Every structure is written in structure tokens, then in C-alpha cells.
Amino acid sequence: MEIKTFNELYTHEKIFDFPKPVEVIKKCILISSNNNDIVLDFFAGSGTTGHAVTELNQEDGGNRKYILVQLPEAIDEKSEACKAGYKRISDITIERNKRVIEKIIEEKKNEHPDLFSGDKKEETLQGLGFKVFKLVKSNFPRVEFAPDPEKTEEENIELLKKYISDKEAQLVSAFNRDELITEILIKNGFKLNYSLTKQEEFKKNEILFATDGDKETLICLDVIIADETVEYFKSNTDKKLVVLERALDTTKKWNLKHYMGEKFKAF
């Protein structure tokens, strides 16, 4: 199934003035990359590159991925796009690629409804999807502590401890779970296409298994790590684990570091 033009997705709407031709972008991708590469477009616009990558994967069974970058540039209030409900160009980028995927799924269902039953459905939908990210401030506050020259060393140490404690409390009380997981995984070298699976064998803590196909780790954002969980990782030192530093007392942190070594990280 092939959606040749932007306008096929917006039959009755004049949303974008000059979208790039899908076929041209597909040819550029074919002659300049392999079928498992990551295609990067820093000027995503209407999202043609994502459209082209998705279609090519459907045509040749490739496993290409795309990264589209688009500033949240405001749309002219008098434009048809704005009247249709789009406030930023990035809104169009996202919506277009949603429609491409929805169209492909619709065609697949019409042609091969049996592929959407039972275990076949997950395989059929594999590779059809994308994540949306936006730049935000780090979840980890900058350290801006400066010792007071008029205080003693002991007093400054106590002030530093309080400063760290306050910053940790701020992190735990204010963080967005998904944003924090993403930032932690990126800091650990994961790609953006990571997936998360809850590990049901842990009863005292919520432990997630994160993988991007190359790297993998277990991650827990609970504010307290249970003794039972610590004992598990003392016995299963082949695992990797990432937790919040505030979730551990000195003994638990020492045990995890001692038994797991570099496979244990606390943020």
C-alpha cells in the first residue's frame, strides 16, 4: 500500500503549502542508506521523511527508523491549517505520520483481516509507530552550592548535606515518571526506541525492564527500595539495575554496589 502524496492524507484540507514529494525522499533514502539505518531530518516540516521511511519499510521489509526534528513554530492564525486546529508546524508533523500509520493499518485489515487475530497482531503492527519528545529542562537539578567563607568547615558540610537532601526531595516530589525514565536511559546510552516491560516477579517494588534492542537494564523509580528487592539483586548479580539514590539508605546502597559492581547505578 502506498500513499503517494501529502494531500491524500488531507483530502479536504489545505494544510501545508509545499510538502516535499514522498517519492523523491524515498529515492534519496534508498540511494544513501541501508534498510536498517536511522534517517535523521532536522527540518521535518510536514513530516515527509517519516512518511517515506514508513512506506519503504512496508515495501521492502526494512527496519529503518527515523528521527524528525521540528521547532514548535507557530502557524499563521489566518491559515487553513490553523482553522483546522493546528497551532504549530510540529502538530502537522505528528498528525501526518499518525495518519500514514492509520492508513497502512486500515489497508492491512481490509486485505488480511486474519493478521489481526491472536498472536499475529503484535507481529503485524511491529515497526508501525513513533514516539514524540520535546526539549525540557533536566530532571536533575544543577549543583550550585557554594561554601560560606564565614562558616566553619563542619558547618559548610552540614549545609551541603541539607542542600543535597533538598534537591533530592525536589526530584522525587516533582518528577514526571516518563520524562525521568527517558533521561536516565539516554544518560546510559539507550536509543530513543526503547521499550518498557513491568517485571511481575517483584512484589515490593515496581521494576521495569528497559531495552532498545542492543542495551538492556532493570529500572526502578520507587522512593524506597525494599529489603526483599535488595536481597534479590544480591543473588542475581548478572542483572543491571538503575534506581533513585534517594531510595536507598547507606546499607542498601553498599550492598547493591558491593554485589553488583558496575551493573548497579543510582541517580
Side-chain angles (χ1 to χ4, degrees):
M1 196 279 296
E2 190 173 310
I3 309 164
K4 290 186 179 295
T5 69
F6 177 85
N7 291 331
E8 286 184 46
L9 296 169
Y10 295 88
T11 310
H12 304 295
E13 304 164 90
K14 178 66 174 176
I15 298 299
F16 206 83
D17 290 334
F18 301 105
K20 296 185 287 290
V22 178
E23 290 303 310
V24 172
I25 302 304
K26 285 165 70 173
K27 288 178 181 177
C28 290
I29 293 170
L30 283 172
I31 64 176
S32 62
S33 65
N34 297 315
N35 65 1
N36 62 345
D37 281 347
I38 298 174
V39 181
L40 173 63
D41 186 348
F42 271 116
F43 304 94
S46 69
T48 306
T49 299
H51 184 158
V53 168
T54 302
E55 277 198 0
L56 280 175
N57 284 342
Q58 294 300 305
E59 292 170 9
D60 63 13
N63 189 35
R64 303 171 188 85
K65 300 175 181 65
Y66 58 81
I67 298 175
L68 307 183
V69 182
Q70 177 58 52
L71 294 173
E73 181 181 341
I75 290 174
D76 187 341
E77 293 182 358
K78 298 179 181 179
S79 68
E80 291 300 316
C82 188
K83 293 175 184 176
Y86 301 101
K87 303 302 181 185
R88 298 171 294 273
I89 290 179
S90 52
D91 294 338
I92 298 175
T93 314
I94 294 166
E95 180 61 25
R96 180 199 187 156
N97 283 281
K98 281 183 180 178
R99 293 192 183 196
V100 170
I101 292 168
E102 288 169 358
K103 191 74 173 176
I104 289 172
I105 292 173
E106 180 185 346
E107 290 286 334
K108 283 178 176 285
K109 282 183 176 179
N110 291 336
E111 295 174 8
H112 305 286
D114 57 303
L115 294 178
F116 289 83
S117 60
D119 297 336
K120 294 180 181 179
K121 183 176 181 179
E122 184 175 347
E123 183 179 348
T124 302
L125 296 177
Q126 189 170 1
L128 288 173
F130 59 88
K131 295 180 179 179
V132 178
F133 296 91
K134 64 179 180 179
L135 289 177
V136 295
K137 290 184 178 180
S138 172
N139 286 282
F140 298 94
R142 292 179 59 184
V143 177
E144 297 174 335
F145 176 82
D148 187 338
E150 296 184 1
K151 295 186 180 297
T152 66
E153 181 178 351
E154 290 76 14
E155 288 174 326
N156 275 311
I157 289 174
E158 290 304 313
L159 287 173
L160 176 59
K161 288 180 179 178
K162 183 179 185 305
Y163 177 88
I164 293 172
S165 177
D166 290 345
K167 288 295 184 182
E168 287 178 343
Q170 177 184 333
L171 170 64
V172 171
S173 63
F175 74 79
N176 176 291
R177 175 182 175 276
D178 293 336
E179 289 179 2
L180 185 57
I181 288 175
T182 297
E183 184 170 0
I184 288 173
L185 292 177
I186 289 174
K187 286 177 181 292
N188 280 274
F190 279 70
K191 293 178 287 190
L192 292 175
N193 66 327
Y194 69 83
S195 62
L196 297 171
T197 308
K198 185 177 180 180
Q199 303 300 285
E200 300 296 342
E201 64 266 34
F202 295 95
K203 305 303 181 185
K204 301 294 185 179
N205 289 110
E206 182 181 59
I207 307 286
L208 303 173
F209 174 71
T211 181
D212 64 2
D214 295 319
K215 301 172 75 70
E216 60 184 43
T217 189
L218 293 168
I219 184 168
C220 178
L221 296 187
D222 292 353
V223 295
I224 297 176
I225 302 297
D227 292 337
E228 181 181 311
T229 303
V230 174
E231 290 302 315
Y232 172 88
F233 285 103
K234 284 169 62 177
S235 304
N236 294 270
T237 56
D238 58 317
K239 309 288 187 182
K240 293 182 179 180
L241 176 66
V242 178
V243 302
L244 294 176
E245 186 153 4
R246 184 176 173 81
L248 303 167
D249 59 27
T250 304
T251 302
K252 290 176 182 177
K253 184 176 180 180
W254 186 91
N255 276 320
L256 289 171
K257 188 67 177 175
H258 176 72
Y259 285 95
M260 300 183 71
E262 295 302 315
K263 293 182 179 179
F264 165 71
K265 292 186 179 180
F267 282 83

